Amino acid sequence: MKLPVSLTCLSALVAVLGSGCASTPMSRIDSNRALYESFPVEVRQAILDNRVEKGMTPEMVEMALGKPSSKETRAGRRGAMEEVWIYGGPTKSPLGGASIGIGAGPVYVGGLGGGSGGSSAEYREIVFVDGVVTGGEDAAR
């Protein structure tokens, strides 16, 4: 069956937008294989499992979870400055009023829906002090 040109173009646009919206640990590993291979075995397994553990570096976290939705800096309990990476919550979509999201383990980013860019019911914070993960939390919004 031959599709009309407009449907063919729309299908191609959806395929291109969809492929750029979600990255997987494997795609992130493949794009930086040498760095991944330099990590200890336990860290490599955590990345494959979309897990973040204390002591991980920003590069390890980004390989495990992708780029965060946002980043904040705040004063920690012991006076140290913390960098907080936030995953989930309100997101902006290149589709304007619609968003496309994925779920991976405890992390859910985006959603399929309308409005001013989707939002998720859950989010995750990863806390760094001096360039290593010191903690984090999953919480309902």
Side-chain angles (χ1 to χ4, degrees):
M1 175 179 153
K2 187 164 177 124
L3 293 174
V5 172
S6 60
L7 275 179
T8 303
C9 291
L10 180 61
S11 296
L13 178 62
V14 168
V16 167
L17 286 175
S19 67
C21 292
S23 64
T24 64
M26 286 310 297
S27 67
R28 294 186 295 267
I29 290 167
D30 288 341
S31 68
N32 208 342
R33 177 66 63 180
L35 180 60
Y36 174 77
E37 297 288 336
S38 73
F39 298 152
V41 171
E42 299 82 20
V43 171
R44 287 186 277 176
Q45 187 60 53
I47 289 169
L48 287 171
D49 295 341
N50 291 95
R51 283 185 294 120
V52 174
E53 297 178 352
K54 287 183 179 182
M56 288 178 120
T57 65
E59 294 83 10
M60 294 169 178
V61 172
E62 192 168 317
M63 201 171 288
L65 302 180
K67 293 192 181 297
S69 303
S70 63
K71 295 179 183 181
E72 298 176 357
T73 302
R74 66 184 183 204
R77 290 185 216 185
R78 296 187 176 117
M81 291 305 292
E82 299 177 338
E83 181 175 12
V84 182
W85 288 15
I86 300 169
Y87 290 86
T91 58
K92 294 194 175 170
S93 170
L95 301 176
S99 65
I100 298 173
I102 61 164
V107 180
Y108 179 83
V109 180
L112 184 59
S116 60
S119 68
S120 65
E122 295 181 27
Y123 72 98
R124 185 172 196 181
E125 293 182 353
I126 308 299
V127 180
F128 295 89
V129 174
D130 295 328
V132 296
V133 173
T134 59
E137 68 179 1
D138 295 324
R141 267 215 165 159

